[in-house]
Amino acid sequence: MTVKPLSHELLRPLCDPQQFAFETTAELEELTEILGQGRALDAVRFGIGMKRDGYNLYALGPAGIGKHTVVQQVLEKQAQQQTPADDWCYVHNFQDHQKPVALRLPAGRGATLRRDMEVLIQDLRTSIPAMLESDEYRAQVQEIDEELKGKQEQAFADIQKQAEQEEMVILNTPHGFAVAPTRAGEVLSPKEFEQLSKEERQHKEQVINRLQEQLAAFLEQIPRLHKERREKLREVERKFTMSAVGHLIDELKKKYQDLTPVTQYLDAVEGDIVENVKDFRAREEGAATPLTLAFQGAPSFTRYRVNTLVDHGGAQGAPIVYEDNPSFANLLGRVEHSAQFGALITDFTLIKAGALHRANGGYLMLDMRKVLMQPYAWEGLKRALRSQEISIESLGQMLGLLSTVSLEPEPIPLDVKVVLMGERILYYLLCAYDPDFRELFKVAADFDDRVERNPENNLLYARLIGTLARKGGLRPFDRTAVAHVIEQSARLASDAEKLSTHMQSTADLLREADYWAERAKRKAVCAADVQCAIDGQIRRADRLRERLYEEIKRGTILIDSEGEKSGQVNGLSVLQLGDFAFGQPSRITATARLGKGEVVDIEREVELGGAIHSKGVLILSNFMAARYAQNEPLSLSASLVFEQSYGMVEGDSASVAELCALLSALADAPIKQAFAVTGSVNQHGQVQAIGGVNEKIEGFYDVCKAKGPIGEQAVLIPAANVKHLMLREDVVAAAAAGQFCVYAIETIDEAISLLTGLPAGAADAHGNFPEGSVNYRVQQRLKELSRLRKEYSEGGKEGSEQRS
Amino acid sequence: MNDRHTIHRVLVALDASPHSRAALKAAAELAADLQAELLGMFIEDINLLRLAQLPCAREVAYATRGIRAVDSQRLENTLRMQAAQLEHMLATVAQGRNVPWSFRVSRGHVAKELLAAAEEGDVLVLGRVGTSVMQRTRLGSTAQTVVAMARHTVVFLEHGVELGVPVLVLFDGTEGAMRAMVTAARLTRGDERNLVVLLASDDRDTQQRLQQQASSRLAAQGRGARFCPLAPGTISLINAVKREGGKALVLAGDHALAKEKTLADLMRQVRCPVVLVR
């Protein structure tokens, strides 16, 4: 069995520019559909259309795949067909000022109500004082005053008259009234009083007592009379205020008659104005300083204002809100405070809307990562969605840390479709650990990061390039550039048969290619510009790769690219640094000696090997036993190591290389060092697919090129990985020139045969291999080791094995 | 009293009522304007002191409505205390306006004492006396006596009104009215626009004659005024004061309105100080 090198066409399935009928992407129509996201789109549309509780969306996929754009597009389309959401206003609660009332009005009428109320209060501030300054009002007040005074004076005059008849006078003392007996208008002196007869004195005292009692009764009734006066004044004031307020309020009530809560509010406003008409008069008297106003409370008309929390006036369709900073307060709204003389005060006008308020009746888009990073934002969002209403309270209140008097705004009913966008891992973690999550976010829109590469999709991709170029203000791309971008997209997808749908990478590439086209003063971007952009991206990221290859070239890191050696093979690994990945050849060596049938993976022994790597080594040791030592103990002690590896080794992609090194060591069959091998092996010796095949091949090519002229180097890859090949153009050119080969292998036998140049050998019915083959040599060596072990154990020499 | 140089003192009767405080303030303003001395008088009512010595002396208190004995000693103390407070108040107000002042306490009938203290060329300033429960259609007995007996210019005020400009004067061509107008001109703080001469007649010719008469008299003193015709009757006078926003109404002491009964009514309705010029 001879394995032939892969044809260079398979190493980089090209995208033929001739398949495109256009010259540049400027001729192509806009791509309105979304490439390759059928599943996610269906999910988004379903989620939007489903009007049941809990059918919120989670758009999952890697960052940069275009989730935001896609979701936004779909939402915009849907929102345009919907009616604008209602406005929400907070107004003063005249029954309980700490619980502002929420009013719902059709879009645009919230702002109208606010203006109407401002005008109303302005009007009243002139019309009420005018009404209370009117002659009619004054006359009525005067009438009441006169009535009171008349009653008082009449009563007093009666007493005075009686006093005069009895020759008495009523005097003002510093604190009250006194009745004194007189003669000829003068108060009697004590002496004159003494000279009166006893009867006269007694009579005078009786009169004085009587008059004093009458005076006391007179004083007694004064507060009652004043109270009556106040009540009457109040009634008159009320009557006049009503006549000033009534028709204005009635006009407003008529305007808002279709909105019962608003008319109820207006009723309350009317009642409050009538009750507090003094506020409207106070201004006229003036003379208050700012300081006294601050402490005594200036007549405030704030309570008649309307806080338009959400104003959808002029909006087309339902709202779509993206909150970039989804903190607890930004999501659920907050009550602000203003400082006045060192104290923090608040009222309903300081209630501020959150994203949920603005999106109510429409759609809210949030980045899941940001939501989770903001303290309590996720909990707050869930609570709002679960209770279907937005209650505004501060974090301090929610946690019970603050108990200062604040507002408790009336909760607003919530009807919103929330679209969370985030990575897949967050979705799966939330599914596993947050029981609320599945209940509230029932629809997952899973964004695919790759799409089939076929002529139809190639054309769609060309249109996508055209659309992105147009939106980004870039030059049009000619067909060669489009073909090159498509090839690069396949490379990004790590699959020759797929295209990447990672929009951010594509858009970056287009922008950078445009930059190079501009530098070259070209009107359209061509393939060379795209290549410049790709090379530029690599150049910017490959400092470490360069250092590594340099050290290989200088012999610091030992890699052979020519000659033959037993028990030593070039393995290939991939290093991922940020967005940039590159292949690194590693020398893998194996030693074998007499032992108890164990294969020691040195990486695992020192805990530098990951679980999958260890699994690969265990598989190969069992492959050895199964193939070569079915009827006798595997009397082998082997060790495998990644030379000059000082970090973690993970993955099983080196297991073919390790097995080849071990077989080479056992068979003493030297391995060609011009070859490198990658692939994992199973217990039956079949070679299985691995990842990063392109980087691995290119890595080995680059190292060989750095060390000397390319001629006979080759890389062995699993046959299953051929479809993933999307190699660099220089590698493909070397292959076409016969200087560099890529072999696709399916079994370990093919690998060892290619590496050693010896036949692998197939077992006959008895399990014996043909003489001279690698497998025969391995089998013989294992038999010998088994025999030696038997000798040792029979001679009691077990445990004193010879050290190799 | 016709000559400004003869005014050398403003006399104000003080008691503990708010009216009296308004009177003090106005008197101080007046004294400052006329560069005159301010004399505050506190008169202890002899009748009250006599009463206190009677065995049957009792008072009905305003606040508690209780009846209690009037103690002579306590009354004396209270009066002394009031006098001290009033003197302090007088000092504060007068010094605030840089007016020379003196304070006098006497005992007797309030009006009589006041008139006895007044000399030629004094102006008397009188707040309405008494408490809010009394006296509407009637002036207090003090004011009655002063109106009836004073040979001086008297300013009547009550709590809540201030003496100021514009000054309105009722002019009917009599000699008394002429004197009133000249006095009014002195209260205008040097701005003739502040003087409004109300020409009391419904006859156009008479009005013109009165205006000529008044303006030539004012011109002789280098003064001027605005003139307004005024129909006869109290109502039109009251309306004129309200319309002009008058802060002083000057009447001749011998005018028919300057009688005890009509004056009280007038003062209540115009809500501005009334000046009777004699």
Side-chain angles (χ1 to χ4, degrees):
Chain A
M1 63 187 165
T2 325
V3 179
K4 293 253 185 323
L6 292 175
S7 117
H8 68 90
E9 282 98 357
L10 285 173
L11 301 187
R12 181 182 176 91
L14 293 174
C15 175
D16 183 7
Q18 299 310 318
Q19 68 181 291
F20 300 124
F22 58 89
E23 282 301 323
T24 72
T25 53
E27 300 158 28
L28 295 176
E29 57 181 305
E30 193 105 351
L31 184 70
T32 47
E33 69 251 56
I34 303 194
L35 186 61
Q37 303 297 4
R39 176 188 290 105
L41 274 173
D42 287 346
V44 172
R45 289 194 191 109
F46 167 75
I48 290 172
M50 189 74 178
K51 303 287 180 205
R52 303 273 174 192
D53 298 345
Y55 281 85
N56 294 298
L57 284 118
Y58 188 105
L60 60 157
I65 202 162
K67 299 186 291 293
H68 193 288
T69 317
V70 170
V71 171
Q72 178 109 22
Q73 271 181 19
V74 178
L75 290 183
E76 273 170 10
K77 212 168 173 183
Q78 173 70 21
Q80 275 169 7
Q81 296 162 8
Q82 290 174 246
T83 51
D86 288 334
D87 287 350
W88 282 97
C89 299
Y90 270 113
V91 292
H92 186 71
N93 183 342
F94 294 99
Q95 268 80 49
D96 183 351
H97 72 275
Q98 285 191 324
K99 296 182 175 172
V101 176
L103 291 181
R104 180 185 207 144
L105 296 104
R109 288 181 74 185
T112 314
L113 178 65
R114 187 187 67 220
R115 283 192 294 274
D116 285 343
M117 284 302 291
E118 280 166 8
V119 171
L120 173 75
I121 297 305
Q122 261 171 13
D123 288 352
L124 289 178
R125 284 172 78 171
T126 51
S127 67
I128 291 181
M131 188 60 86
L132 299 182
E133 291 290 310
S134 68
D135 287 345
E136 193 187 347
Y137 175 75
R138 280 169 191 269
Q140 292 206 15
V141 170
Q142 206 166 353
E143 204 173 288
I144 293 166
D145 283 347
E146 298 286 317
E147 189 188 334
L148 169 83
K149 284 185 182 171
K151 277 183 187 167
Q152 278 181 198
E153 283 175 4
Q154 191 54 52
F156 192 75
D158 289 347
I159 302 170
Q160 233 171 4
K161 198 173 169 190
Q162 285 182 47
E164 279 165 17
Q165 283 168 359
E166 299 282 355
E167 280 192 301
M168 295 281 171
V169 67
I170 297 173
L171 294 175
N172 278 318
T173 67
H175 305 295
F177 294 118
V179 184
T182 59
R183 180 176 296 157
E186 294 291 324
V187 175
L188 290 181
S189 67
K191 199 174 167 188
E192 287 169 328
F193 191 74
E194 280 302 317
Q195 285 168 354
L196 296 174
S197 67
K198 193 182 171 191
E199 289 74 25
E200 275 179 321
R201 281 207 302 272
Q202 276 179 348
H203 173 69
K204 293 235 180 265
E205 280 184 22
Q206 277 171 2
V207 172
I208 287 171
N209 286 342
R210 196 184 72 231
L211 288 172
Q212 275 172 343
E213 275 164 23
Q214 285 181 4
L215 279 171
F218 162 72
L219 288 175
E220 197 74 48
Q221 65 168 347
I222 287 178
R224 185 177 52 77
L225 291 173
H226 277 267
K227 191 172 171 226
E228 267 177 31
R229 170 179 170 269
R230 281 198 301 276
E231 278 168 7
K232 283 182 180 166
L233 284 178
R234 186 90 197 88
E235 198 42 54
V236 171
E237 194 180 68
R238 186 187 297 268
K239 197 175 78 189
F240 276 79
T241 312
M242 281 296 281
S243 67
V245 180
H247 71 279
L248 291 174
I249 291 271
D250 284 346
E251 266 175 41
L252 281 186
K253 274 164 54 179
K254 207 168 167 189
K255 187 169 173 184
Y256 294 95
Q257 62 188 353
D258 53 328
L259 302 165
T260 314
V262 178
T263 55
Q264 282 169 350
Y265 165 69
L266 289 170
D267 283 336
V269 168
E270 185 176 15
D272 189 76
I273 291 171
V274 172
E275 282 303 309
N276 295 290
V277 69
K278 62 179 185 306
D279 289 350
F280 290 85
R281 311 180 74 173
R283 263 172 54 81
E284 301 303 302
E285 284 160 22
T289 66
L291 204 64
T292 54
L293 285 179
F295 285 109
Q296 293 165 0
S300 169
F301 300 101
T302 310
R303 62 183 181 280
Y304 305 121
R305 281 167 58 185
V306 174
N307 177 2
T308 344
L309 198 69
V310 188
D311 178 10
H312 288 301
Q316 301 289 326
I320 301 169
V321 176
Y322 170 66
E323 177 56 59
D324 186 43
N325 179 20
S327 64
F328 181 82
N330 285 355
L331 278 178
L332 293 150
R334 62 186 178 279
V335 180
E336 294 183 337
H337 290 71
S338 65
Q340 211 173 72
F341 291 94
L344 291 178
I345 58 162
T346 188
D347 60 53
F348 71 97
T349 60
L350 295 174
I351 302 174
K352 304 288 172 187
L356 281 170
H357 291 101
R358 295 198 304 279
N360 200 0
Y363 306 95
L364 175 62
M365 295 164 67
L366 297 168
D367 284 329
M368 191 60 204
R369 176 177 286 272
K370 289 180 183 169
V371 172
L372 290 175
M373 280 169 70
Q374 290 288 348
Y376 297 99
W378 175 232
E379 288 306 313
L381 178 66
K382 281 194 298 184
R383 206 176 50 196
L385 289 175
R386 183 181 289 282
S387 62
Q388 293 179 10
E389 59 180 29
I390 322 169
S391 324
I392 300 178
E393 54 180 20
S394 72
L395 268 181
Q397 270 176 297
M398 197 184 88
L399 301 174
L401 298 176
L402 291 177
S403 55
T404 46
V405 177
S406 193
L407 298 181
E408 288 175 47
E410 184 185 355
I412 287 177
L414 178 66
D415 172 23
V416 71
K417 190 70 82 178
V418 177
V419 185
L420 294 176
M421 292 164 294
E423 294 126 85
R424 293 197 177 97
I425 179 72
L426 290 179
Y427 177 80
Y428 296 120
L429 282 174
L430 284 163
C431 281
Y433 293 111
D434 189 340
D436 300 332
F437 179 68
R438 286 307 305 268
E439 207 173 310
L440 295 171
F441 292 86
K442 291 188 197 293
V443 186
D446 199 345
F447 280 71
D448 210 342
D449 44 12
R450 52 176 65 186
V451 62
E452 207 62 41
R453 181 177 169 188
N454 55 35
E456 294 79 49
N457 281 347
N458 283 349
L459 189 59
L460 286 176
Y461 214 88
R463 281 171 62 196
L464 172 70
I465 293 169
T467 308
L468 288 174
R470 218 163 294 149
K471 280 185 182 164
L474 311 178
R475 285 164 182 70
F477 281 61
D478 73 14
R479 60 171 92 154
T480 63
V482 169
H484 209 65
V485 172
I486 288 174
E487 286 166 15
Q488 178 63 11
S489 177
R491 170 64 189 257
L492 272 178
S494 297
D495 195 328
E497 294 168 4
K498 304 280 179 189
L499 292 174
S500 164
T501 55
H502 196 266
M503 286 302 128
Q504 193 177 311
S505 312
T506 309
D508 287 349
L509 181 63
L510 299 186
R511 279 190 285 267
E512 288 165 29
D514 175 71
Y515 168 80
W516 292 108
E518 186 186 5
R519 288 277 296 262
K521 300 192 170 27
R522 270 193 276 272
K523 285 188 176 159
V525 182
C526 69
D529 301 320
V530 178
Q531 189 55 47
C532 268
I534 297 167
D535 291 345
Q537 284 176 350
I538 293 171
R539 172 72 189 140
R540 292 195 292 276
D542 81 340
R543 185 189 60 83
L544 201 73
R545 180 178 74 167
E546 203 176 279
R547 290 281 165 279
L548 199 67
Y549 292 176
E550 193 185 346
E551 293 309 322
I552 292 173
K553 184 184 171 190
R554 293 168 72 195
T556 317
I557 298 172
L558 298 175
I559 299 288
D560 290 339
S561 59
E562 53 191 15
E564 295 185 340
K565 248 178 206 166
S566 292
Q568 173 180 313
V569 70
N570 291 320
L572 293 168
S573 55
V574 175
L575 283 179
Q576 176 92 35
L577 295 165
D579 283 343
F580 181 60
F582 63 93
Q584 184 203 359
S586 299
R587 174 177 287 180
I588 297 170
T589 58
T591 58
R593 56 198 158 79
L594 179 64
K596 289 187 289 184
E598 59 197 4
V599 176
V600 174
D601 173 18
I602 292 181
E603 309 301 325
R604 192 180 71 167
E605 295 299 309
V606 295
E607 294 179 354
L608 279 176
I612 299 170
H613 183 257
S614 303
K615 178 184 173 190
V617 175
L618 287 173
I619 287 172
L620 76 86
S621 70
N622 284 299
F623 163 77
M624 295 282 297
R627 175 179 268 196
Y628 302 110
Q630 280 196 342
N631 302 323
E632 52 194 324
L634 184 65
S635 307
L636 165 80
S637 179
S639 66
L640 289 166
V641 69
F642 266 66
E643 302 290 357
Q644 291 185 295
S645 156
Y646 306 104
M648 241 358 230
V649 174
E650 180 55 310
D652 62 354
S653 73
S655 55
V656 171
E658 287 167 327
L659 182 51
C660 288
L662 186 56
L663 293 177
S664 160
L666 281 169
D668 193 20
I671 286 177
K672 293 177 189 164
Q673 297 300 307
F675 280 53
V677 62
T678 182
S680 76
V681 68
N682 66 14
Q683 294 197 101
H684 300 297
Q686 287 169 312
V687 175
Q688 302 164 147
I690 45 86
V693 66
N694 291 304
E695 286 81 2
K696 285 173 176 171
I697 296 171
E698 286 166 4
F700 188 63
Y701 173 81
D702 287 339
V703 166
C704 294
K705 206 176 163 195
K707 281 178 75 80
I710 294 281
E712 51 178 9
Q713 281 80 3
V715 177
L716 274 56
I717 60 164
N721 280 116
V722 173
K723 57 184 176 290
H724 299 137
L725 288 176
M726 204 63 210
L727 289 169
R728 257 184 5 229
E729 285 183 317
D730 57 333
V731 182
V732 177
Q739 297 167 329
F740 190 77
C741 299
V742 177
Y743 292 97
I745 49 171
E746 288 181 5
T747 63
I748 192 72
D749 289 339
E750 287 175 1
I752 196 70
S753 165
L754 280 167
L755 289 172
T756 57
L758 299 171
D764 61 15
H766 305 290
N768 295 320
F769 294 96
E771 205 167 327
S773 67
V774 178
N775 285 333
Y776 174 79
R777 285 157 77 164
V778 172
Q779 196 174 38
Q780 290 308 310
R781 174 70 177 145
L782 287 174
K783 278 186 175 163
E784 190 189 339
L785 288 175
S786 177
R787 185 182 52 77
L788 280 172
R789 185 177 174 192
K790 201 173 170 189
E791 278 177 17
Y792 274 112
S793 57
E794 281 169 359
K797 287 180 184 173
E798 179 125 16
S800 58
E801 294 163 17
Q802 216 179 346
R803 296 263 164 206
S804 61
Chain B
M1 174 73 217
N2 294 354
D3 191 338
R4 132 179 217 152
H5 298 291
T6 59
I7 298 176
H8 56 86
R9 210 166 56 163
V10 177
L11 211 69
V12 59
L14 300 172
D15 62 25
S17 73
H19 299 302
S20 162
R21 277 197 289 279
L24 172 60
K25 209 176 149 206
E29 295 279 357
L30 199 59
D33 280 352
L34 303 175
Q35 294 177 340
E37 187 194 331
L38 181 62
L39 171 61
M41 288 200 67
F42 177 60
I43 298 146
E44 298 172 347
D45 189 350
I46 189 71
N47 277 336
L48 200 55
L49 291 162
R50 263 190 208 160
L51 163 75
Q53 289 169 345
L54 293 178
C56 56
R58 278 185 287 276
E59 66 177 343
V60 185
Y62 297 135
T64 59
R65 271 86 80 181
I67 298 170
R68 63 187 179 196
V70 179
D71 179 349
S72 181
Q73 190 56 47
R74 206 179 61 205
L75 182 64
E76 295 262 4
N77 288 346
T78 309
L79 291 174
R80 243 196 320 278
M81 206 167 64
Q82 279 184 349
Q85 282 171 354
L86 290 168
E87 184 175 9
H88 178 71
M89 187 168 82
L90 172 67
T92 312
V93 172
Q95 282 163 5
R97 286 166 183 74
N98 212 10
V99 173
W101 63 277
S102 55
F103 182 69
R104 191 185 293 172
V105 181
S106 62
R107 181 169 290 189
H109 294 290
V110 178
K112 282 180 193 162
E113 288 297 315
L114 199 61
L115 289 172
E119 295 165 7
E120 182 74 14
D122 283 0
V123 176
L124 298 184
V125 179
L126 212 61
R128 289 180 59 186
V129 185
T131 65
S132 59
V133 296
M134 292 162 64
Q135 299 164 6
R136 179 181 65 118
T137 52
R138 300 197 303 182
L139 290 176
S141 56
T142 311
Q144 280 177 41
T145 313
V146 171
V147 169
M149 295 174 67
R151 289 290 159 264
H152 311 83
T153 296
V154 187
V155 183
F156 291 97
L157 319 102
E158 56 188 346
H159 174 58
V161 299
E162 283 181 21
L163 185 65
V165 288
V167 180
L168 281 75
V169 59
L170 188 61
F171 187 73
D172 57 5
T174 60
E175 191 49 39
M178 201 67 93
R179 282 200 301 277
M181 185 180 69
V182 172
T183 304
R186 287 183 195 141
L187 300 175
T188 56
R189 297 179 180 165
D191 186 347
E192 60 188 41
R193 283 172 301 184
N194 286 334
L195 179 62
V196 182
V197 179
L198 304 169
L199 305 167
S201 172
D202 50 358
D203 169 14
R204 235 182 130 68
D205 294 340
T206 318
Q207 282 168 4
Q208 275 182 356
R209 184 174 52 75
L210 287 175
Q211 184 170 345
Q212 274 170 7
Q213 205 180 343
S215 58
S216 61
R217 180 61 186 268
L218 287 170
Q221 294 195 329
R223 297 174 189 274
R226 280 196 295 125
F227 296 92
C228 288
L230 182 75
T234 318
I235 303 290
S236 58
L237 178 63
I238 291 163
N239 286 340
V241 174
K242 283 187 180 169
R243 191 176 62 238
E244 296 288 339
K247 290 284 166 65
L249 174 62
V250 184
L251 299 175
D254 53 5
H255 192 273
L257 283 172
K259 297 288 175 282
E260 184 255 310
K261 281 184 178 158
T262 45
L263 194 61
D265 202 35
L266 179 68
M267 279 180 66
R268 184 174 53 80
Q269 302 229 39
V270 295
R271 294 279 298 164
C272 93
V274 175
V275 184
L276 294 187
V277 178
R278 289 197 171 92

